[in-house]
Amino acid sequence: MAMRQTPLTCSGHTRPVVDLAFSGITPYGYFLISACKDGKPMLRQGDTGDWIGTFLGHKGAVWGATLNKDATKAATAAADFTAKVWDAVSGDELMTLAHKHIVKTVDFTQDSNYLLTGGQDKLLRIYDLNKPEAEPKEISGHTSGIKKALWCSEDKQILSADDKTVRLWDHATMTEVKSLNFNMSVSSMEYIPEGEILVITYGRSIAFHSAVSLDPIKSFEAPATINSASLHPEKEFLVAGGEDFKLYKYDYNSGEELESYKGHFGPIHCVRFSPDGELYASGSEDGTLRLWQTVVGKTYGLWKCVLPEEDSGELAKPKISFPETTEEELEEIASENSDSVYSSTPEVKA
């Protein structure tokens, strides 16, 4: 008997959640950051969704957010014409990088020494985080506002997307290598280092390209307009979400739709697999993040599958164990702590 998917709901944001990103796996687990139009990006424990802290300082909607590999730094892109870099352990703001227009996207190099930004002024900027007073390097060539910009090929190249174009750039020469043109707006882009795969969504299409050459690999059509898609680390599955409030899970090799779930109460803006592939997170217009199990019924994080006694004759039922603090209590705590920039990192117990 198939077990029912029961997502974990992470509340706290008051406006649509428009971007999210996971860190790599650290000695303390992995972490999840979310960007929201309420201007208050949040950090959570990645496998449980437990709130750790809120980065306070932006004066406009936050459009992009990311963590470096070991979750020691965070970066955010906002409508207040700034990108900010944060200490993800203490929550302190490390630097504010002024721009001339709305900033939409941020990405760290693997060594966390450089930050790539892009936004409405159509320019890519590369900041040396060890020399914050220095002027950034700028790359021009986009003809409309930049939606996403990512380092790729061990930081030797850059991938960027504007309204209907995806471009590949050489970092050393700061020149364009190749571009892809689409007949409709590109809604998202994900880079998979293992295998150098680029995932692009536009309209109802989910397309896979080589991140090195931009050559097409394969593409799938979904039943609704898709805003975001993510490929499983083992490249077995992909998940996608969009305008019909549903999450779709596909077999990457065959393209077969395996499952679809409706849990959000608004369009889904972003979806990403966790670094271990055990779950995927979605962010929506409804202001919530939801965590979904890749393999339903598996004991993991806050999900606990309780098997019946062998002789009882009952079917196995998945159960979810929740932390002692309810969401309402967490929100109350959050509001009480709203004057502080950040909460302290919780103790990690063995």
Side-chain angles (χ1 to χ4, degrees), residues 39-41 54-58 86 91 93 337-342:
K40 297 175 181 177
T54 301
F55 299 98
L56 299 177
H58 279 296
W86 313 79
E93 183 183 311
N337 294 338
S338 60
D339 291 336
S340 64
V341 173
Y342 201 76

Side-chain angles (χ1 to χ4, degrees), residues 173-244:
T173 62
M174 311 278 279
T175 56
E176 184 180 310
V177 178
K178 195 173 179 181
S179 66
L180 289 172
N181 294 305
F182 298 90
N183 58 6
M184 57 186 73
S185 183
V186 174
S187 50
S188 77
M189 190 170 71
E190 181 188 45
Y191 166 63
I192 311 295
E194 298 77 15
E196 296 288 338
I197 297 172
L198 179 63
V199 187
I200 303 168
T201 60
Y202 57 96
R204 295 186 176 192
S205 299
I206 306 159
F208 300 86
H209 291 257
S210 162
V212 178
S213 64
L214 295 189
D215 291 339
I217 299 170
K218 63 174 72 178
S219 66
F220 305 140
E221 288 293 313
T225 300
I226 295 297
N227 293 329
S228 183
S230 184
L231 182 60
H232 189 270
E234 300 297 323
K235 302 172 189 65
E236 297 172 359
F237 316 108
L238 65 123
V239 290
E243 292 298 309
D244 65 351

Side-chain angles (χ1 to χ4, degrees), residues 22 125 135 146 163 182 184 202 226 251 265 280 301 338:
F22 284 100
R125 290 182 173 84
E135 287 295 312
I146 297 166
D163 187 37
F182 298 90
M184 57 186 73
Y202 57 96
I226 295 297
D251 182 293
F265 298 99
Y280 46 99
S338 60

Side-chain angles (χ1 to χ4, degrees), residues 21-174:
F22 284 100
S23 71
I25 297 172
T26 78
Y28 306 100
Y30 60 88
F31 300 87
L32 171 64
I33 191 170
S34 53
C36 181
K37 289 185 181 179
D38 64 10
K40 297 175 181 177
M42 290 186 178
L43 184 70
R44 298 177 186 272
Q45 193 72 37
D47 59 342
T48 63
D50 289 341
W51 176 78
I52 294 172
T54 301
F55 299 98
L56 299 177
H58 279 296
K59 295 176 182 176
V62 175
W63 287 102
T66 193
L67 293 165
N68 66 348
K69 208 169 182 179
D70 58 6
T72 56
K73 288 181 182 176
T76 49
D80 60 8
F81 293 20
T82 70
K84 290 181 185 286
V85 180
W86 313 79
D87 183 319
V89 180
S90 68
D92 295 332
E93 183 183 311
L94 299 178
M95 62 187 76
T96 295
L97 306 170
H99 288 64
K100 295 174 183 176
H101 213 310
I102 293 166
V103 191
K104 284 289 188 80
T105 179
V106 281
D107 195 36
F108 288 106
T109 49
Q110 291 183 43
D111 60 12
S112 307
N113 287 330
Y114 295 88
L115 186 74
L116 173 67
T117 72
Q120 291 297 95
D121 63 1
K122 309 173 191 175
L123 292 174
L124 292 167
R125 290 182 173 84
I126 300 168
Y127 291 88
D128 184 340
L129 299 182
N130 297 313
K131 300 174 184 175
E133 71 287 343
E135 287 295 312
K137 294 178 182 176
E138 294 184 351
I139 302 176
S140 60
H142 276 286
T143 56
S144 60
I146 297 166
K147 295 181 175 181
K148 196 76 174 177
L150 301 167
W151 294 103
C152 66
S153 303
E154 297 181 336
D155 304 330
K156 292 177 183 147
Q157 293 184 309
I158 294 166
L159 288 159
S160 57
D162 60 23
D163 187 37
K164 293 180 180 178
T165 311
V166 170
R167 299 176 193 269
L168 178 67
W169 310 84
D170 182 77
H171 181 198
T173 62
M174 311 278 279

